[in-house]
């Protein structure tokens, strides 16, 4: 039986220039940075807020990850009521544990893992009560989650069994691109999965941040040193998207209800 739905609920950028990244996303998405009071000896961490609510965090790419060739990247956290149990279940299902469950003082228990196809994400069992959900398309929040993988059918089966995600329709993108499978958390469509195109070297999650209008947001990306690598493009349902890289090279995307 599938477990109760477990969604992505926190997003984290590991970057090579923390201050530059804070300035870039403040300008592009409209976030406001706030230093997180970490324990002595812990690395700097900046919480990016929409109004008074944190939606993402920024931190310096760990030295050991950089030595292994990891580029700046956005990663997502999946909510867990039992990080140890979720990690063990993932491993039994063919996933990989990159970092065993451990405690973040004052925050919760986390683990760094990957699905059976190799896309990395994290578990977090937070210490604090859950925040109430926000309406879909709220500016500055995360509006879509997209998995590029080697086998979307096997990947969907994994996430459905482990976290209770469900199918929410699909799109045929033609012989070159194949099927785009939409998935839902608790009945609400929130993302899609597809087999990765040639230009994407490894399985990876990509996250879309909500903005008001796509052309103005794309201009903010390039005006502030980022690059637009795809779009603007209208997608089924009428939204507009661009896919981008920030000045340090981390991939992200933007989604808006209007051009």
């Amino acid at each position: 039986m599938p477990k109760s739905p477990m969604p992505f609920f926190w997003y984290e950028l590991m970057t090579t220039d923390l201050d530059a990244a804070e300035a870039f996303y403040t300008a592009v998405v409209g976030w406001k940075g706030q230093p997180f009071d970490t324990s002595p000896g812990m690395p700097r961490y900046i919480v990016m807020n929409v109004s008074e609510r944190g939606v993402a965090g920024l931190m310096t790419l760990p030295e050991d990850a950089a030595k292994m060739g990891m580029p700046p990247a956005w990663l997502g956290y999946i909510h867990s009521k039992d990080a140890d149990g979720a990690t063990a279940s993932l491993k039994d299902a063919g996933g990989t544990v990159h970092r065993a469950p451990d405690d973040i003082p004052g925050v919760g228990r986390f683990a760094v893992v990957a699905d059976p196809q190799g896309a990395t994400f994290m578990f977090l069992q937070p210490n604090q009560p859950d925040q109430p959900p926000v309406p879909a398309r709220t500016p500055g929040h995360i509006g879509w989650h997209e998995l590029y993988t080697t086998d979307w059918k096997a990947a969907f089966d994994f996430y459905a069994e482990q976290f209770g995600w469900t199918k929410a329709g699909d799109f045929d993108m033609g012989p070159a691109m194949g099927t785009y499978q939409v998935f839902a958390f608790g009945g609400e469509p929130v993302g899609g999965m597809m087999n990765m195109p040639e230009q994407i070297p490894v399985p990876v999650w990509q996250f879309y941040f909500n903005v008001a209008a796509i052309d103005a947001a794309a201009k903010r990306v390039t005006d502030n040193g980022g690059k637009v690598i795809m779009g603007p493009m209208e997608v089924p349902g009428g939204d507009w998207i661009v896919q981008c890289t920030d000045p340090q090279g981390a991939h992200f995307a933007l989604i808006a209800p209007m051009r």
Side-chain angles (χ1 to χ4, degrees), residues 16-230:
T16 52
D17 190 331
L18 192 56
D19 293 326
E22 179 185 3
F24 175 81
Y25 288 99
T26 297
V28 170
V29 186
W31 291 335
K32 182 178 180 181
Q34 178 182 1
F36 183 73
D37 186 15
T38 57
S39 302
M42 295 289 287
R44 285 177 62 206
Y45 194 90
I46 298 174
V47 174
M48 303 303 281
N49 296 291
V50 176
S51 298
E52 299 302 316
R53 179 163 173 163
V55 296
L58 313 181
M59 63 179 289
T60 299
L61 183 67
E63 186 175 342
D64 56 348
K67 287 180 178 178
M68 289 174 18
M70 179 181 173
W74 279 96
L75 296 172
Y77 284 83
I78 288 179
H79 188 282
S80 178
K81 294 181 179 179
D82 177 5
D84 293 80
T87 302
S89 178
L90 171 139
K91 187 175 181 180
D92 289 345
T96 301
V97 179
H98 292 304
R99 180 166 178 173
D102 197 3
D103 292 318
I104 305 173
V107 175
R109 192 159 176 81
F110 84 110
V112 183
V113 299
D115 66 27
Q117 287 70 44
T120 299
F121 60 95
M122 292 182 273
F123 288 124
L124 181 62
Q125 177 185 340
N127 290 343
Q128 302 300 319
D130 297 343
Q131 297 187 89
V134 298
R137 301 295 185 258
T138 300
H141 287 260
I142 284 65
W144 199 249
H145 311 77
E146 201 160 69
L147 176 64
Y148 298 99
T149 185
T150 56
D151 184 343
W152 73 261
K153 291 182 180 179
F156 176 81
D157 288 344
F158 168 82
Y159 287 97
E161 174 60 30
Q162 294 294 305
F163 312 131
W165 300 2
T166 57
K167 290 184 177 180
D170 57 52
F171 299 96
D172 183 354
M173 299 186 294
M177 300 291 286
T179 298
Y180 188 86
Q181 178 63 59
V182 179
F183 63 90
F185 301 149
E188 180 72 23
V190 292
M193 301 180 182
M194 63 180 289
N195 288 345
M196 58 195 193
E198 291 182 0
Q199 63 267 30
I200 295 179
V202 295
V204 66
W205 279 100
Q206 178 166 252
F207 305 109
Y208 288 72
F209 309 137
N210 291 328
V211 292
I214 211 67
D215 283 344
K219 186 175 186 300
R220 293 196 298 272
V221 170
T222 55
D223 284 351
N224 287 279
K227 296 179 181 178
V228 174
I229 57 176
M230 191 280 288

